[in-house]
């Protein structure tokens, strides 16, 4: 008997063919628990491959899952074949039943109801396509009129051949049917902007909102794959990892309502996103029902008395006193790896961990190190149902996480790379990578991924294999960067340089005014990200003051009669987290955020200010990584603003990106030795030194604000130099 692993192997063979550009016509997704059903599925796949090698379609195993609330029962479809020649829903009977026709009727009704949830799949009262329910029986049974019954693969293939469409479904119809079967309700979180003018940004967003959404093959594989054992889901930002993780949690909760499932995360702003996705997916799948929050739990990694978390609950269960942030700092010092050290101590102190949960799903796993992942594994029992999703690159010079062998001491069977970026426009993501790496810097590259294989994993292709010391050209295709937003690529991203901060801020206000009034965007569509971490709060106040000053100048008429109708900028701004840590987007105000707080959030129009801070800083690589993160927050348009000579440097790099048609060009791809040298040449100043400098800057700022000394006097005093000597340094003289 051929088992489940064989089907898994076949699926990955198909995926490898697809990745190699050879085409994978039939995708196999999901799994079957029953051994005899798995064997039939295997023979069916072989028959399809041999008889219909050019058949374009997807074969789902053990999916969809349905709930019978009256009978309190969960059932699943054994096999669902969606292809361009027809739709076939197959149930397998391993023993004789009294009335298999009744089972077929029930299956047909459930599938039809799911399809009809999508308005684009039916016209008037009827579906725009026919589908067949077929029973495959291992037992001898008499066929009932009108209820197809087969008892061999040959008979099944004959039925498909006799009932298949003469003409293949067109691509749009096929996509719609796939979307309906996948229950791809709620992937699209875009809110239409009502009646808007053609040619505006809001109009482009509306067009994007109207697209038929579906999961790609690798996303569905990640969602439906067997959960026994460790599974990792990896990809670049915008590849849908959080959506996939949320949908997987819903599928598991639907199939196993008795399980205790935990979805955990690090960044607090992720909680609301995860809650929204899980609520939406579960309700759409289960006719508006609400999921059981006692069994499907969304909780942070650390936790406290006021907000429970995985670490906190593990401590309590095993008689260990959990510690808070202040206690952790007192115990370990002001370390960036406080949580890791806490988890490490817990792993060492507890000899026998109890099973606490049935499955744990970790989002943004790159925010953790191996200690937290190992802790999660310890409390899952022998099945080890651990799913972790992460960005392939934490930083542009290194992979986000060690391989599974290094984390768990063993390899894993379930590994799904997501290579398609659905968030960012293609030229925006290429720009983000090029600027982040400093690829087109006159002084040379700042950083690169440690392995050239990463490029393929994040959706880049080459006409020839990357070879060290040789020319290389990497680019993205419509397959890995689909053009979801139908706009001119030259409109998507731009770099803008100004003489000073005030002119930059006025330009920013003018562009936002145009977005709201002419482009018909709403405040939620816009995000401002400040790259100047140290001056972040002051920069926000400066922007507010300029806005208020201009508004006041315009609104005071003759006789000093204030009229708010005459204000130029009729919009509000707020800082991220102003009300609470999870406060970010608002309906009535535009968010002003640091890079750190912006992480994990996305919107259509992103303005990045003070980008010049990323050029000659003491942490150039870290700051370039931050700029990469900022650019990739955009689902639509990006404007990168800054001032002075340093911003001009970024402008020049962007011009080179455009000159290379938004491709990554390497005259000589660096070998291991050159990569090492690049790292050494561009090593960031240590964090402790940066903090010391920031403290000094804060003290200097306080002294100058009090008005007792000028900045020039301080510089002269600190460096022991005359004004003339300082000028020579600034002019580049020795």
């Amino acid at each position: 008997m051929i088992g489940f692993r064989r089907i898994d192997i076949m699926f990955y063979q198909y995926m490898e063919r697809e990745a190699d550009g050879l085409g994978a016509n039939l995708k196999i997704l999901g799994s079957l628990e029953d051994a005899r059903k798995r064997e039939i599925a295997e023979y069916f796949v072989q028959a399809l491959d041999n008889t219909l090698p050019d058949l374009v379609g997807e074969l789902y195993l053990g999916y969809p899952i349905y709930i019978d609330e009256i009978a309190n029962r969960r059932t699943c479809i054994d096999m669902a074949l969606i292809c361009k020649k027809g739709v076939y829903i197959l149930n397998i009977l391993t023993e004789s039943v009294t009335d298999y026709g009744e089972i077929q009727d029930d299956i047909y009704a459930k599938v039809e109801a799911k399809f009809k949830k999508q308005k684009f799949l039916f016209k008037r009262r009827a579906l725009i396509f026919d589908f067949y329910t077929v029973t495959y029986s291992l037992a001898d049974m008499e066929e009932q009129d009108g209820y197809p019954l087969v008892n061999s693969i040959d008979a099944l293939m004959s039925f498909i051949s006799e009932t298949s469409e003469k003409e293949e479904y067109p691509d749009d119809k096929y996509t719609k049917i796939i979307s309906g079967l996948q229950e791809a309700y709620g992937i699209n979180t875009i809110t239409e902007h009502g009646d808007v003018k053609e040619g505006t940004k809001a109009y482009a967003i509306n067009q994007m909102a109207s697209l038929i959404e579906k999961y790609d093959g690798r996303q569905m594989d990640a969602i439906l794959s067997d959960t026994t054992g460790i599974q990792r889901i990896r990809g670049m930002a915008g590849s849908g990892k959080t959506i996939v993780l949320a949908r997987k949690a819903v599928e598991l909760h639907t199939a196993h309502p008795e399980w205790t499932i935990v979805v955990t995360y690090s960044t607090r702003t992720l909680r609301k996103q995860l809650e929204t996705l899980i609520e939406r997916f579960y309700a759409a799948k289960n006719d508006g029902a609400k999921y059981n929050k006692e069994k499907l739990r969304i909780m942070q990694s650390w936790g406290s008395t006021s907000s429970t978390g995985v670490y906190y609950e593990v401590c309590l269960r095993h008689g260990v006193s959990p510690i808070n942030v202040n206690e952790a700092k007192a115990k370990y010092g002001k370390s960036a790896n406080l949580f890791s050290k806490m988890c490490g101590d817990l792993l060492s102190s507890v000899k026998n961990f109890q099973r606490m949960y049935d499955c744990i799903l970790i989002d943004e796993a790159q925010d953790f190190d191996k200690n937290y992942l190992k802790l999660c594994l310890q409390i899952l029992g022998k099945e080890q149902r651990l799913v972790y999703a992460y960005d392939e690159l934490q930083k542009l010079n290194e992979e986000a996480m060690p391989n599974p062998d290094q984390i768990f001491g063993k390899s894993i069977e379930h590994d799904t790379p997501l290579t398609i970026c659905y968030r960012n426009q293609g030229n925006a993501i290429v720009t983000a990578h090029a600027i982040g790496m400093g690829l087109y810097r006159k002084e040379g590259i700042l950083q690169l991924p440690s392995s050239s294989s990463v490029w393929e994993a994040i959706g880049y292709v080459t006409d020839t294999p990357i070879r060290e010391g040789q020319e290389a050209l990497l680019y993205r295709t419509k397959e890995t960067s689909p053009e979801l937003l139908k706009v001119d690529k030259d409109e998507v991203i731009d770099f803008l340089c100004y003489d000073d901060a005030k002119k930059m801020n006025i330009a920013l206000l003018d562009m936002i005014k145009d977005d709201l009034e002419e482009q018909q965007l709403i405040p939620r569509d816009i995000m401002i990200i400040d790259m100047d971490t140290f001056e972040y709060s002051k920069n926000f106040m400066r922007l507010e003051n300029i806005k208020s000053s201009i508004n006041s100048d315009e609104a005071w008429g003759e006789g000093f009669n204030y009229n708010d109708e005459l204000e130029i900028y009729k919009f509000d701004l707020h800082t991220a987290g102003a009300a609470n840590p999870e406060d970010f987007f608002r309906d009535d105000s535009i968010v002003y955020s640091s890079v750190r707080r912006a992480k994990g959030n996305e919107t259509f129009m992103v303005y990045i200010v003070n980008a010049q801070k990323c050029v000659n800083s003491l942490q150039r690589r870290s700051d370039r990584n931050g700029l990469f993160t900022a650019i990739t927050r955009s689902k639509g348009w990006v404007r990168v603003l800054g001032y002075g000579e340093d911003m001009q440097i970024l402008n020049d790099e962007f011009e080179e990106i455009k000159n290379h048609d938004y491709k990554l060009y390497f005259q000589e791809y660096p070998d291991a030795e050159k990569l090492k040298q690049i790292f050494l040449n561009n090593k960031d100043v240590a964090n402790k030194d940066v903090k010391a400098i920031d403290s000094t800057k804060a003290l200097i700022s306080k002294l100058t604000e009090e008005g007792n000394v000028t900045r020039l006097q301080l510089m002269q005093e600190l460096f022991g130099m005359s004004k003339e000597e300082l000028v020579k340094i600034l002019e580049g003289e020795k």
Side-chain angles (χ1 to χ4, degrees), residues 79 172 229 478 502 635 694:
M79 292 193 289
D172 62 333
K478 291 182 179 179
K502 185 176 181 179
K635 295 191 289 185
D694 285 345

Side-chain angles (χ1 to χ4, degrees), residues 67 76 85 94 109 140 244 258 271 275 284 287 302 319 395 434 446 468 491 553 560 612 625 643 707:
I67 301 176
C76 67
K85 298 288 284 184
T94 57
D140 289 329
V244 166
E258 74 283 2
R271 180 178 183 88
E275 284 179 340
D287 300 319
W302 193 322
K395 301 175 182 177
L446 273 172
E468 296 177 350
E491 296 175 11
D553 289 344
F560 299 96
Q612 76 283 346
N625 288 331
Y643 57 91

Side-chain angles (χ1 to χ4, degrees), residues 289-466:
K290 295 183 178 181
Y291 72 93
N292 184 346
K293 294 186 178 181
E294 296 298 315
K295 287 297 183 180
L296 177 51
R297 304 177 64 193
I298 304 169
M299 58 178 170
Q300 64 190 85
S301 54
W302 193 322
S304 64
T305 53
S306 60
S307 178
T308 190
V310 174
Y311 165 83
Y312 186 81
E313 287 198 352
V314 174
C315 286
L316 295 183
R317 175 69 71 87
H318 295 87
V320 177
S321 297
I323 62 177
N324 59 34
V325 176
N326 291 329
E327 290 168 337
K329 287 180 179 178
K331 183 175 181 179
Y332 304 110
K334 295 181 180 179
S335 169
N337 297 315
L338 289 177
F339 188 59
S340 173
K341 292 180 178 179
M342 291 160 55
C343 291
D345 279 357
L346 189 56
L347 285 166
S348 301
S349 61
V350 178
K351 301 304 178 186
N352 295 302
F353 282 94
Q354 300 176 38
R355 177 176 180 151
M356 294 178 61
Y357 315 115
D358 296 289
C359 182
I360 296 176
L361 301 98
I362 306 173
D363 196 18
E364 299 287 2
Q366 74 277 359
D367 292 342
F368 306 106
D369 77 348
K370 63 181 182 181
N371 282 342
Y372 183 60
L373 273 73
K374 290 168 71 174
L375 179 64
C376 289
L377 197 64
Q378 287 289 336
I379 53 176
L380 283 173
K382 64 181 181 179
E383 296 87 358
Q384 296 191 324
R385 301 187 188 103
L386 178 68
V387 184
Y388 66 106
Y390 66 92
D391 284 355
E392 190 74 67
L393 290 174
Q394 172 86 326
K395 301 175 182 177
L396 292 173
N397 63 305
E398 65 184 46
E399 287 83 351
M401 298 192 73
N403 62 50
D405 287 340
Q406 295 170 300
I407 300 173
F408 306 108
K410 62 179 180 180
S411 59
I412 60 174
E413 293 183 344
H414 307 296
D415 183 21
T416 310
L418 306 179
T419 59
I420 301 174
C421 180
Y422 294 100
R423 179 195 296 159
N424 313 122
Q425 299 295 295
N427 52 334
I429 189 65
V430 173
T431 299
H433 279 125
I435 291 292
M437 294 185 298
L439 177 62
Y440 297 115
R441 279 197 336 141
K442 291 180 180 178
E443 300 85 355
I445 298 171
L446 273 172
Q447 55 187 338
L448 270 178
S450 55
S451 171
S452 60
S453 63
V454 168
W455 295 117
E456 182 182 355
I458 60 176
Y460 282 88
V461 298
T462 58
D463 294 330
T464 57
I466 298 174

